[in-house]
Amino acid sequence: MTAPLVEMRGISIAFGGIKAVDDVSVDLMPGEVVALLGHNGAGKSTLIKVLSGAYRADAGEILVEGQRAEIATPRDAKRYGIETIYQTLALADNVDAAANIFLGRELVTRWGMLDDAAMESATRQVMARLNPHFRRFKEPVRALSGGQRQSVAIARAIHFNARILIMDEPTAALGPAETAQVGELVKQLKAQGIGIFLISHDIHDVFDLADRVSVMKNGRLVGTARTRDVTKDEVLGMIILGKCPEAAVRGPGAMAE
Amino acid sequence: MRHLEVDPRLVGMLGALAVIWVGFDLLSGGAFLTPRNLWNLSVQTASVAVMACGMVLVIVTRNIDLSVGAVLGFVGMVVGVVQARWLPEMLGLEHPATAFIAVAVGIALGGAIGLMQGSLIAYLGIPSFIVTLGGLLVWRGAAWWVTQGQTVAPMDGRFRMLGGGIEGAIGATASWVLAALACAAIVAVMVMLRRRRLAFGFPVRPAWAEGVLMGLGCLVVIGAVAVANLYPIPVGVARRMAEAQGIPWPPGGLFIPHGLAIPVIVALLVGVAMTVLATRTRFGRYVFAIGGNPEAAELSGVNTRRSLMMVFGLMGALAGLSACIATARLNAATNAAGTLDELYVIAAAVIGGTSLAGGMGTVAGAMLGALVMQSLQSGMVLLGVDTPLQNIVVGLVLVFAVWLDGAWRKRIR
Ligand SMILES: Nc1ncnc2c1ncn2[C@@H]1O[C@H](COP(=O)(O)OP(=O)(O)OP(=O)(O)O)[C@@H](O)[C@H]1O
Ligand SMILES: [Mg+2]
């Protein structure tokens, strides 16, 4: 059996005494979509921010392709091919879409100067895939709509040939057509062998796209299950009550039988 | 206007400057818009303009540097001591290398101070307001300690050229050569940028608009040089120069123009370099991204702490350069040099459209802001307004300008 693309083992992190994530283990295979579910404040975003280098875990370890990975900063994570679409989007409002997409990885000319024309051109291409109606390439991101901003954040994550993609509620602000487009995109990326952590509150989307679900409650892992082995109601039971069904692998946060 | 795609704020500033200049000229009975006054104005603006370029980046990152005036004072003292006491002992008086070493010391020392303050701000997380407020007191005190308050003078002859004056102007021919080079550069850069956009099939300005902009740019350059070349050096000095070169003194006298002043050229070069840095390099992009959303910049993989430290290092280095200009102009190093300069520099940046909320500002705007401030001050001196009233006016103008800018910005939303 091949090693998982990513494995997070026993991750814990606390903010001033509150255990936001407590001994959580999740893993992801190549070409697999794993959905992270849980109520608001369950610790999903915090968990994936450990993987993307935004936070350092108090305990636990991260393995990438079976090797222990040291991820202390977002730069480290990107070096492992981990790209993230943050729930807060993390865009610099005062610069345009291209500047955001290439932030930290700008294209430069022979003389080391920013190659804005090349970056704009690449931006037009990637945005055409996500949001064909997008026209406002020259304006600061501040002037864009919520959905357009989200498209920019998605474009930034997919443009750099990620191996591992983290999507924290990527379609929260998108219209139905754009949401469908992101669904298509997820399937395409999956077919290319990219592993995706998908955080979503839309259980239908999750069953449509994800191979497995991992459910968190109050910072702890309730359990992990294949989507084809469980029903939507069972997953809702995991989210709301912390009740782990037969077909799922129990986590430390599961309700006692 | 729409086709020109120029920054309306820049146009507004130029308009304001024109109003100030014409206003003072009318009030002073034609004494303001003379080659002599404009030339002096340009020299007086240089030191603050150089620092304003750095302050733009500092403010864009949502920080402030209150220490630049004191750093100027301290570095000026050290530079003075180095060239008036140390180097003459080591190299002999008026050694050709003295001026270069002195300037290098000034820039390096200023940069080191800036980096040190920047590292406290970036890595220890102490607010820049506090670090540089402390720096203001520390470096002003240190400026006194260098010589126990004694003034150091005179400066090295070549070094003095950095301050302007008769020896510090490059003359008519060299000025025209510079003007030609500048015009060629304007045209070349605009053509290159246009070609690049066309190569990618992006929309561009209509050709006529591009031509108008090029023409305007060249016109400004040529106009500035023409004015500088209309200001002759004093008769006595001209006669001595003529005698020294063995040229007979004609009965009508000789018209030897000043040409552009060296500090002005230095300030303009700094302005161009800083504009390139701010708008065309990765570093500049990071500075603006940090100002727009520091967390996003960090999550995007930008080394925000290092960038922030470098911004302050750059600010310090520019303050060091300004210290050289100010010391050279005064032909003396005094520990009070640069007092209140931090406020003028911040005011110049803010009048020039730099937003204190961060993420927004241009180097060109800040330099224009410095020119506006200096124009106000020189104009009032020309009208015989006394210093306290000058300060009152400058203070009111600062508040008014920021209000106007904010009101205007809301309207275009
Ligand atoms: N930087 C922080 N400082 C302090 N507490 C935090 C911080 N970030 C998150 N928390 C806390 O950690 C817990 C988990 O938050 P997290 O954002 O991971 O939840 P989530 O599962 O992503 O919720 P949502 O579905 O609303 O996005 C919450 O109780 C939150 O208040
Ligand atoms: Mg969240």
Side-chain angles (χ1 to χ4, degrees), chain A residues 54 74-75 78 86 90-91 94 99 103-104 106 113-117 120-121 124 138 156, chain B residues 196-197 200 202 276 280-282 285-286 288-289 292-293 296 298-303 359:
Chain A
R75 284 184 294 286
K78 283 170 204 280
Y86 293 96
L91 298 173
N94 57 332
L103 188 55
E106 290 77 6
M113 297 286 141
L114 292 178
D115 195 344
D116 280 326
E120 188 180 328
S121 164
R124 282 173 191 265
K138 280 287 173 202
R156 174 170 64 189
Chain B
R196 265 205 90 71
R197 289 192 62 82
F200 280 97
F202 297 161
V276 170
R280 313 274 350 130
T281 68
R282 282 193 169 152
R285 179 66 43 92
Y286 297 165
F288 277 82
N293 186 346
E298 180 71 34
L299 291 177
S300 301
V302 173
N303 193 339

mmCIF file of all heavy atoms in Angstrom, chain A residues 54 74-75 78 86 90-91 94 99 103-104 106 113-117 120-121 124 138 156, chain B residues 196-197 200 202 276 280-282 285-286 288-289 292-293 296 298-303 359:
data_model
loop_
_atom_site.group_PDB
_atom_site.id
_atom_site.type_symbol
_atom_site.label_atom_id
_atom_site.label_comp_id
_atom_site.label_asym_id
_atom_site.label_seq_id
_atom_site.Cartn_x
_atom_site.Cartn_y
_atom_site.Cartn_z
ATOM 1 N N ALA A 54 0.031 28.368 8.614
ATOM 2 C CA ALA A 54 -0.372 29.601 9.273
ATOM 3 C C ALA A 54 -0.218 29.486 10.788
ATOM 4 O O ALA A 54 0.123 30.455 11.466
ATOM 5 C CB ALA A 54 -1.812 29.947 8.914
ATOM 6 N N PRO A 74 3.880 29.568 5.955
ATOM 7 C CA PRO A 74 3.185 29.302 4.694
ATOM 8 C C PRO A 74 4.156 28.994 3.556
ATOM 9 O O PRO A 74 3.837 28.224 2.653
ATOM 10 C CB PRO A 74 2.433 30.604 4.437
ATOM 11 C CG PRO A 74 2.220 31.197 5.778
ATOM 12 C CD PRO A 74 3.437 30.831 6.573
ATOM 13 N N ARG A 75 5.340 29.586 3.611
ATOM 14 C CA ARG A 75 6.338 29.300 2.565
ATOM 15 C C ARG A 75 6.737 27.826 2.577
ATOM 16 O O ARG A 75 6.892 27.205 1.534
ATOM 17 C CB ARG A 75 7.577 30.178 2.766
ATOM 18 C CG ARG A 75 7.382 31.611 2.346
ATOM 19 C CD ARG A 75 8.669 32.405 2.470
ATOM 20 N NE ARG A 75 9.117 32.543 3.856
ATOM 21 C CZ ARG A 75 8.556 33.340 4.750
ATOM 22 N NH1 ARG A 75 7.529 34.076 4.397
ATOM 23 N NH2 ARG A 75 8.996 33.421 5.978
ATOM 24 N N LYS A 78 4.034 25.734 0.948
ATOM 25 C CA LYS A 78 4.023 25.841 -0.514
ATOM 26 C C LYS A 78 5.153 25.017 -1.124
ATOM 27 O O LYS A 78 5.032 24.482 -2.214
ATOM 28 C CB LYS A 78 4.140 27.309 -0.937
ATOM 29 C CG LYS A 78 2.810 28.042 -0.752
ATOM 30 C CD LYS A 78 2.961 29.537 -0.942
ATOM 31 C CE LYS A 78 1.875 30.298 -0.225
ATOM 32 N NZ LYS A 78 0.593 30.339 -0.926
ATOM 33 N N TYR A 86 -8.257 30.087 1.680
ATOM 34 C CA TYR A 86 -8.675 30.360 3.053
ATOM 35 C C TYR A 86 -10.123 30.806 3.095
ATOM 36 O O TYR A 86 -10.623 31.437 2.166
ATOM 37 C CB TYR A 86 -7.786 31.434 3.678
ATOM 38 C CG TYR A 86 -6.370 30.969 3.885
ATOM 39 C CD1 TYR A 86 -5.384 31.261 2.957
ATOM 40 C CD2 TYR A 86 -6.024 30.211 4.999
ATOM 41 C CE1 TYR A 86 -4.087 30.823 3.124
ATOM 42 C CE2 TYR A 86 -4.733 29.765 5.177
ATOM 43 C CZ TYR A 86 -3.771 30.076 4.233
ATOM 44 O OH TYR A 86 -2.490 29.625 4.404
ATOM 45 N N ALA A 90 -7.978 35.787 2.296
ATOM 46 C CA ALA A 90 -6.598 36.265 2.421
ATOM 47 C C ALA A 90 -6.124 36.954 1.147
ATOM 48 O O ALA A 90 -5.132 36.573 0.539
ATOM 49 C CB ALA A 90 -5.654 35.113 2.799
ATOM 50 N N LEU A 91 -6.859 37.974 0.751
ATOM 51 C CA LEU A 91 -6.455 38.775 -0.412
ATOM 52 C C LEU A 91 -5.984 40.148 0.058
ATOM 53 O O LEU A 91 -6.486 40.673 1.042
ATOM 54 C CB LEU A 91 -7.635 38.958 -1.372
ATOM 55 C CG LEU A 91 -8.211 37.689 -1.971
ATOM 56 C CD1 LEU A 91 -9.472 38.021 -2.754
ATOM 57 C CD2 LEU A 91 -7.193 37.009 -2.862
ATOM 58 N N ASN A 94 -5.845 46.056 -1.870
ATOM 59 C CA ASN A 94 -5.434 47.278 -2.573
ATOM 60 C C ASN A 94 -4.707 47.013 -3.885
ATOM 61 O O ASN A 94 -4.304 47.942 -4.550
ATOM 62 C CB ASN A 94 -4.548 48.126 -1.660
ATOM 63 C CG ASN A 94 -3.331 47.351 -1.181
ATOM 64 O OD1 ASN A 94 -3.370 46.131 -1.068
ATOM 65 N ND2 ASN A 94 -2.257 48.040 -0.931
ATOM 66 N N ALA A 99 -1.872 40.611 -9.193
ATOM 67 C CA ALA A 99 -0.913 40.808 -8.100
ATOM 68 C C ALA A 99 -1.216 39.852 -6.954
ATOM 69 O O ALA A 99 -0.308 39.328 -6.309
ATOM 70 C CB ALA A 99 -0.959 42.254 -7.616
ATOM 71 N N LEU A 103 1.148 36.802 -5.745
ATOM 72 C CA LEU A 103 1.796 37.364 -4.559
ATOM 73 C C LEU A 103 2.766 36.345 -3.941
ATOM 74 O O LEU A 103 2.397 35.214 -3.644
ATOM 75 C CB LEU A 103 0.736 37.783 -3.531
ATOM 76 C CG LEU A 103 1.253 38.566 -2.330
ATOM 77 C CD1 LEU A 103 2.036 39.789 -2.767
ATOM 78 C CD2 LEU A 103 0.097 38.982 -1.433
ATOM 79 N N GLY A 104 4.000 36.772 -3.785
ATOM 80 C CA GLY A 104 5.026 35.889 -3.235
ATOM 81 C C GLY A 104 5.703 35.030 -4.291
ATOM 82 O O GLY A 104 6.712 34.385 -4.021
ATOM 83 N N GLU A 106 5.960 36.207 -7.867
ATOM 84 C CA GLU A 106 5.806 37.073 -9.035
ATOM 85 C C GLU A 106 6.665 36.597 -10.202
ATOM 86 O O GLU A 106 7.752 36.060 -10.015
ATOM 87 C CB GLU A 106 6.206 38.507 -8.683
ATOM 88 C CG GLU A 106 5.248 39.223 -7.759
ATOM 89 C CD GLU A 106 5.369 38.790 -6.318
ATOM 90 O OE1 GLU A 106 6.285 38.000 -6.020
ATOM 91 O OE2 GLU A 106 4.551 39.221 -5.504
ATOM 92 N N MET A 113 12.644 42.788 -13.035
ATOM 93 C CA MET A 113 11.492 43.663 -12.822
ATOM 94 C C MET A 113 10.207 42.847 -12.952
ATOM 95 O O MET A 113 10.164 41.871 -13.696
ATOM 96 C CB MET A 113 11.479 44.769 -13.884
ATOM 97 C CG MET A 113 12.671 45.686 -13.816
ATOM 98 S SD MET A 113 12.533 46.782 -12.407
ATOM 99 C CE MET A 113 14.222 46.830 -11.866
ATOM 100 N N LEU A 114 9.155 43.279 -12.248
ATOM 101 C CA LEU A 114 7.879 42.578 -12.335
ATOM 102 C C LEU A 114 7.403 42.529 -13.783
ATOM 103 O O LEU A 114 7.439 43.536 -14.480
ATOM 104 C CB LEU A 114 6.822 43.311 -11.508
ATOM 105 C CG LEU A 114 6.996 43.294 -9.997
ATOM 106 C CD1 LEU A 114 5.886 44.101 -9.351
ATOM 107 C CD2 LEU A 114 7.003 41.876 -9.472
ATOM 108 N N ASP A 115 6.965 41.366 -14.211
ATOM 109 C CA ASP A 115 6.438 41.231 -15.561
ATOM 110 C C ASP A 115 4.914 41.265 -15.492
ATOM 111 O O ASP A 115 4.249 40.233 -15.569
ATOM 112 C CB ASP A 115 6.946 39.933 -16.181
ATOM 113 C CG ASP A 115 6.741 39.922 -17.683
ATOM 114 O OD1 ASP A 115 5.954 40.751 -18.160
ATOM 115 O OD2 ASP A 115 7.365 39.091 -18.357
ATOM 116 N N ASP A 116 4.372 42.462 -15.316
ATOM 117 C CA ASP A 116 2.929 42.596 -15.106
ATOM 118 C C ASP A 116 2.129 42.084 -16.291
ATOM 119 O O ASP A 116 1.057 41.505 -16.124
ATOM 120 C CB ASP A 116 2.568 44.064 -14.839
ATOM 121 C CG ASP A 116 2.846 44.443 -13.390
ATOM 122 O OD1 ASP A 116 2.677 43.577 -12.520
ATOM 123 O OD2 ASP A 116 3.229 45.594 -13.140
ATOM 124 N N ALA A 117 2.657 42.299 -17.498
ATOM 125 C CA ALA A 117 1.910 41.870 -18.680
ATOM 126 C C ALA A 117 1.779 40.344 -18.694
ATOM 127 O O ALA A 117 0.692 39.808 -18.929
ATOM 128 C CB ALA A 117 2.613 42.367 -19.942
ATOM 129 N N GLU A 120 -0.655 39.306 -16.004
ATOM 130 C CA GLU A 120 -2.048 39.589 -16.371
ATOM 131 C C GLU A 120 -2.538 38.558 -17.380
ATOM 132 O O GLU A 120 -3.676 38.076 -17.301
ATOM 133 C CB GLU A 120 -2.168 41.003 -16.942
ATOM 134 C CG GLU A 120 -3.620 41.408 -17.157
ATOM 135 C CD GLU A 120 -3.759 42.811 -17.711
ATOM 136 O OE1 GLU A 120 -2.914 43.667 -17.403
ATOM 137 O OE2 GLU A 120 -4.729 43.034 -18.461
ATOM 138 N N SER A 121 -1.659 38.198 -18.297
ATOM 139 C CA SER A 121 -2.045 37.221 -19.308
ATOM 140 C C SER A 121 -2.383 35.875 -18.669
ATOM 141 O O SER A 121 -3.415 35.262 -18.969
ATOM 142 C CB SER A 121 -0.895 37.086 -20.309
ATOM 143 O OG SER A 121 -1.058 35.939 -21.075
ATOM 144 N N ARG A 124 -5.669 36.092 -16.887
ATOM 145 C CA ARG A 124 -6.822 36.008 -17.786
ATOM 146 C C ARG A 124 -7.124 34.549 -18.122
ATOM 147 O O ARG A 124 -8.281 34.132 -18.175
ATOM 148 C CB ARG A 124 -6.559 36.806 -19.069
ATOM 149 C CG ARG A 124 -6.737 38.310 -18.864
ATOM 150 C CD ARG A 124 -6.305 39.099 -20.081
ATOM 151 N NE ARG A 124 -6.242 40.518 -19.796
ATOM 152 C CZ ARG A 124 -7.235 41.378 -20.042
ATOM 153 N NH1 ARG A 124 -8.349 40.952 -20.593
ATOM 154 N NH2 ARG A 124 -7.108 42.652 -19.733
ATOM 155 N N LYS A 138 -7.888 45.064 -13.975
ATOM 156 C CA LYS A 138 -7.011 46.192 -13.633
ATOM 157 C C LYS A 138 -7.385 46.821 -12.303
ATOM 158 O O LYS A 138 -6.690 47.693 -11.820
ATOM 159 C CB LYS A 138 -7.107 47.244 -14.748
ATOM 160 C CG LYS A 138 -6.258 46.902 -15.950
ATOM 161 C CD LYS A 138 -4.808 47.111 -15.589
ATOM 162 C CE LYS A 138 -3.861 46.639 -16.641
ATOM 163 N NZ LYS A 138 -2.537 46.369 -16.063
ATOM 164 N N ARG A 156 -5.641 31.612 -7.371
ATOM 165 C CA ARG A 156 -4.307 31.646 -6.780
ATOM 166 C C ARG A 156 -3.876 30.253 -6.326
ATOM 167 O O ARG A 156 -2.721 29.860 -6.482
ATOM 168 C CB ARG A 156 -4.292 32.606 -5.594
ATOM 169 C CG ARG A 156 -2.962 32.573 -4.854
ATOM 170 C CD ARG A 156 -2.863 33.681 -3.851
ATOM 171 N NE ARG A 156 -3.857 33.549 -2.805
ATOM 172 C CZ ARG A 156 -4.097 34.485 -1.896
ATOM 173 N NH1 ARG A 156 -3.438 35.614 -1.923
ATOM 174 N NH2 ARG A 156 -5.000 34.299 -0.965
ATOM 175 N N ARG B 196 4.883 45.900 -24.946
ATOM 176 C CA ARG B 196 4.634 44.694 -24.152
ATOM 177 C C ARG B 196 3.146 44.402 -24.060
ATOM 178 O O ARG B 196 2.701 43.279 -24.234
ATOM 179 C CB ARG B 196 5.194 44.859 -22.745
ATOM 180 C CG ARG B 196 6.577 44.302 -22.574
ATOM 181 C CD ARG B 196 6.852 43.936 -21.139
ATOM 182 N NE ARG B 196 6.470 42.562 -20.839
ATOM 183 C CZ ARG B 196 7.115 41.484 -21.280
ATOM 184 N NH1 ARG B 196 8.148 41.607 -22.050
ATOM 185 N NH2 ARG B 196 6.709 40.281 -20.947
ATOM 186 N N ARG B 197 2.377 45.478 -23.796
ATOM 187 C CA ARG B 197 0.935 45.268 -23.675
ATOM 188 C C ARG B 197 0.331 44.842 -25.017
ATOM 189 O O ARG B 197 -0.543 43.991 -25.058
ATOM 190 C CB ARG B 197 0.247 46.532 -23.139
ATOM 191 C CG ARG B 197 0.560 46.797 -21.669
ATOM 192 C CD ARG B 197 -0.342 47.855 -21.069
ATOM 193 N NE ARG B 197 -1.749 47.451 -21.083
ATOM 194 C CZ ARG B 197 -2.306 46.653 -20.177
ATOM 195 N NH1 ARG B 197 -1.590 46.191 -19.195
ATOM 196 N NH2 ARG B 197 -3.575 46.327 -20.254
ATOM 197 N N PHE B 200 0.814 41.190 -25.800
ATOM 198 C CA PHE B 200 -0.112 40.289 -25.134
ATOM 199 C C PHE B 200 -1.552 40.537 -25.562
ATOM 200 O O PHE B 200 -2.471 39.886 -25.072
ATOM 201 C CB PHE B 200 -0.009 40.444 -23.615
ATOM 202 C CG PHE B 200 1.156 39.711 -23.026
ATOM 203 C CD1 PHE B 200 2.346 40.358 -22.764
ATOM 204 C CD2 PHE B 200 1.059 38.360 -22.743
ATOM 205 C CE1 PHE B 200 3.415 39.674 -22.216
ATOM 206 C CE2 PHE B 200 2.120 37.670 -22.201
ATOM 207 C CZ PHE B 200 3.300 38.325 -21.941
ATOM 208 N N PHE B 202 -3.343 43.243 -24.970
ATOM 209 C CA PHE B 202 -4.123 43.978 -23.988
ATOM 210 C C PHE B 202 -4.501 45.343 -24.541
ATOM 211 O O PHE B 202 -3.831 45.867 -25.425
ATOM 212 C CB PHE B 202 -3.314 44.203 -22.705
ATOM 213 C CG PHE B 202 -2.938 42.944 -22.003
ATOM 214 C CD1 PHE B 202 -1.906 42.949 -21.087
ATOM 215 C CD2 PHE B 202 -3.605 41.758 -22.249
ATOM 216 C CE1 PHE B 202 -1.545 41.789 -20.432
ATOM 217 C CE2 PHE B 202 -3.256 40.600 -21.596
ATOM 218 C CZ PHE B 202 -2.218 40.610 -20.689
ATOM 219 N N VAL B 276 10.702 52.979 -9.279
ATOM 220 C CA VAL B 276 10.928 51.663 -9.880
ATOM 221 C C VAL B 276 10.823 50.582 -8.797
ATOM 222 O O VAL B 276 10.141 49.569 -8.955
ATOM 223 C CB VAL B 276 12.308 51.611 -10.569
ATOM 224 C CG1 VAL B 276 12.655 50.191 -10.965
ATOM 225 C CG2 VAL B 276 12.321 52.521 -11.775
ATOM 226 N N ARG B 280 7.820 48.348 -9.673
ATOM 227 C CA ARG B 280 8.268 47.368 -10.656
ATOM 228 C C ARG B 280 9.029 46.187 -10.056
ATOM 229 O O ARG B 280 9.489 45.331 -10.792
ATOM 230 C CB ARG B 280 9.167 48.023 -11.722
ATOM 231 C CG ARG B 280 8.652 49.298 -12.297
ATOM 232 C CD ARG B 280 7.705 49.172 -13.474
ATOM 233 N NE ARG B 280 7.609 47.854 -14.029
ATOM 234 C CZ ARG B 280 6.463 47.230 -14.268
ATOM 235 N NH1 ARG B 280 5.320 47.803 -13.977
ATOM 236 N NH2 ARG B 280 6.459 46.047 -14.799
ATOM 237 N N THR B 281 9.219 46.159 -8.752
ATOM 238 C CA THR B 281 9.978 45.046 -8.176
ATOM 239 C C THR B 281 9.114 44.245 -7.201
ATOM 240 O O THR B 281 8.088 44.723 -6.726
ATOM 241 C CB THR B 281 11.218 45.528 -7.408
ATOM 242 O OG1 THR B 281 10.781 46.228 -6.234
ATOM 243 C CG2 THR B 281 12.082 46.443 -8.249
ATOM 244 N N ARG B 282 9.581 43.027 -6.927
ATOM 245 C CA ARG B 282 8.906 42.185 -5.945
ATOM 246 C C ARG B 282 8.806 42.876 -4.598
ATOM 247 O O ARG B 282 7.766 42.883 -3.961
ATOM 248 C CB ARG B 282 9.711 40.902 -5.763
ATOM 249 C CG ARG B 282 9.494 39.939 -6.853
ATOM 250 C CD ARG B 282 10.063 38.609 -6.438
ATOM 251 N NE ARG B 282 9.620 37.631 -7.392
ATOM 252 C CZ ARG B 282 10.279 36.532 -7.687
ATOM 253 N NH1 ARG B 282 11.419 36.263 -7.075
ATOM 254 N NH2 ARG B 282 9.793 35.693 -8.566
ATOM 255 N N ARG B 285 6.089 45.321 -4.492
ATOM 256 C CA ARG B 285 4.804 44.639 -4.483
ATOM 257 C C ARG B 285 4.482 44.131 -3.077
ATOM 258 O O ARG B 285 3.369 44.264 -2.590
ATOM 259 C CB ARG B 285 4.874 43.499 -5.500
ATOM 260 C CG ARG B 285 3.714 42.631 -5.684
ATOM 261 C CD ARG B 285 2.466 43.244 -6.256
ATOM 262 N NE ARG B 285 2.491 44.159 -7.370
ATOM 263 C CZ ARG B 285 2.383 43.827 -8.647
ATOM 264 N NH1 ARG B 285 2.255 42.578 -9.004
ATOM 265 N NH2 ARG B 285 2.360 44.744 -9.572
ATOM 266 N N TYR B 286 5.489 43.586 -2.398
ATOM 267 C CA TYR B 286 5.276 43.078 -1.038
ATOM 268 C C TYR B 286 4.914 44.205 -0.089
ATOM 269 O O TYR B 286 4.039 44.052 0.769
ATOM 270 C CB TYR B 286 6.529 42.358 -0.530
ATOM 271 C CG TYR B 286 6.897 41.130 -1.331
ATOM 272 C CD1 TYR B 286 8.141 40.540 -1.218
ATOM 273 C CD2 TYR B 286 5.987 40.566 -2.214
ATOM 274 C CE1 TYR B 286 8.474 39.422 -1.967
ATOM 275 C CE2 TYR B 286 6.312 39.459 -2.966
ATOM 276 C CZ TYR B 286 7.558 38.894 -2.844
ATOM 277 O OH TYR B 286 7.880 37.801 -3.583
ATOM 278 N N PHE B 288 3.362 46.937 -0.725
ATOM 279 C CA PHE B 288 1.965 47.345 -0.890
ATOM 280 C C PHE B 288 1.011 46.254 -0.400
ATOM 281 O O PHE B 288 -0.020 46.549 0.217
ATOM 282 C CB PHE B 288 1.685 47.721 -2.349
ATOM 283 C CG PHE B 288 2.101 49.122 -2.661
ATOM 284 C CD1 PHE B 288 3.421 49.412 -2.959
ATOM 285 C CD2 PHE B 288 1.191 50.159 -2.595
ATOM 286 C CE1 PHE B 288 3.828 50.711 -3.207
ATOM 287 C CE2 PHE B 288 1.580 51.463 -2.844
ATOM 288 C CZ PHE B 288 2.908 51.739 -3.153
ATOM 289 N N ALA B 289 1.356 44.996 -0.659
ATOM 290 C CA ALA B 289 0.485 43.909 -0.202
ATOM 291 C C ALA B 289 0.417 43.888 1.324
ATOM 292 O O ALA B 289 -0.651 43.691 1.904
ATOM 293 C CB ALA B 289 0.989 42.574 -0.731
ATOM 294 N N GLY B 292 -1.911 46.473 2.371
ATOM 295 C CA GLY B 292 -3.306 46.160 2.083
ATOM 296 C C GLY B 292 -3.867 45.133 3.051
ATOM 297 O O GLY B 292 -4.998 45.250 3.510
ATOM 298 N N ASN B 293 -3.097 44.113 3.359
ATOM 299 C CA ASN B 293 -3.560 43.058 4.248
ATOM 300 C C ASN B 293 -2.355 42.249 4.729
ATOM 301 O O ASN B 293 -1.926 41.319 4.057
ATOM 302 C CB ASN B 293 -4.558 42.157 3.500
ATOM 303 C CG ASN B 293 -5.186 41.113 4.411
ATOM 304 O OD1 ASN B 293 -4.734 40.869 5.522
ATOM 305 N ND2 ASN B 293 -6.240 40.487 3.930
ATOM 306 N N ALA B 296 -2.760 38.464 4.862
ATOM 307 C CA ALA B 296 -2.808 37.834 3.536
ATOM 308 C C ALA B 296 -1.416 37.739 2.936
ATOM 309 O O ALA B 296 -1.059 36.735 2.328
ATOM 310 C CB ALA B 296 -3.725 38.638 2.611
ATOM 311 N N GLU B 298 1.393 37.475 4.513
ATOM 312 C CA GLU B 298 2.109 36.410 5.209
ATOM 313 C C GLU B 298 1.629 35.042 4.714
ATOM 314 O O GLU B 298 2.427 34.161 4.411
ATOM 315 C CB GLU B 298 1.879 36.552 6.723
ATOM 316 C CG GLU B 298 2.563 35.505 7.575
ATOM 317 C CD GLU B 298 4.082 35.671 7.619
ATOM 318 O OE1 GLU B 298 4.548 36.820 7.580
ATOM 319 O OE2 GLU B 298 4.775 34.641 7.686
ATOM 320 N N LEU B 299 0.301 34.861 4.608
ATOM 321 C CA LEU B 299 -0.235 33.573 4.169
ATOM 322 C C LEU B 299 0.128 33.276 2.722
ATOM 323 O O LEU B 299 0.185 32.119 2.320
ATOM 324 C CB LEU B 299 -1.766 33.557 4.329
ATOM 325 C CG LEU B 299 -2.275 33.545 5.765
ATOM 326 C CD1 LEU B 299 -3.786 33.616 5.794
ATOM 327 C CD2 LEU B 299 -1.778 32.324 6.520
ATOM 328 N N SER B 300 0.388 34.316 1.933
ATOM 329 C CA SER B 300 0.781 34.096 0.542
ATOM 330 C C SER B 300 2.249 33.722 0.425
ATOM 331 O O SER B 300 2.744 33.529 -0.679
ATOM 332 C CB SER B 300 0.531 35.352 -0.289
ATOM 333 O OG SER B 300 -0.821 35.696 -0.220
ATOM 334 N N GLY B 301 2.937 33.696 1.544
ATOM 335 C CA GLY B 301 4.334 33.278 1.490
ATOM 336 C C GLY B 301 5.312 34.431 1.444
ATOM 337 O O GLY B 301 6.502 34.228 1.242
ATOM 338 N N VAL B 302 4.805 35.667 1.631
ATOM 339 C CA VAL B 302 5.720 36.807 1.683
ATOM 340 C C VAL B 302 6.390 36.823 3.054
ATOM 341 O O VAL B 302 5.730 36.601 4.073
ATOM 342 C CB VAL B 302 4.947 38.127 1.473
ATOM 343 C CG1 VAL B 302 5.849 39.320 1.693
ATOM 344 C CG2 VAL B 302 4.339 38.157 0.088
ATOM 345 N N ASN B 303 7.697 37.071 3.056
ATOM 346 C CA ASN B 303 8.394 37.208 4.329
ATOM 347 C C ASN B 303 8.149 38.625 4.836
ATOM 348 O O ASN B 303 8.926 39.538 4.599
ATOM 349 C CB ASN B 303 9.881 36.933 4.138
ATOM 350 C CG ASN B 303 10.590 36.759 5.460
ATOM 351 O OD1 ASN B 303 10.104 37.205 6.498
ATOM 352 N ND2 ASN B 303 11.735 36.116 5.426
ATOM 353 N N GLY B 359 -1.269 50.917 2.453
ATOM 354 C CA GLY B 359 -1.615 50.311 1.177
ATOM 355 C C GLY B 359 -1.710 51.251 -0.001
ATOM 356 O O GLY B 359 -1.929 50.806 -1.115
#
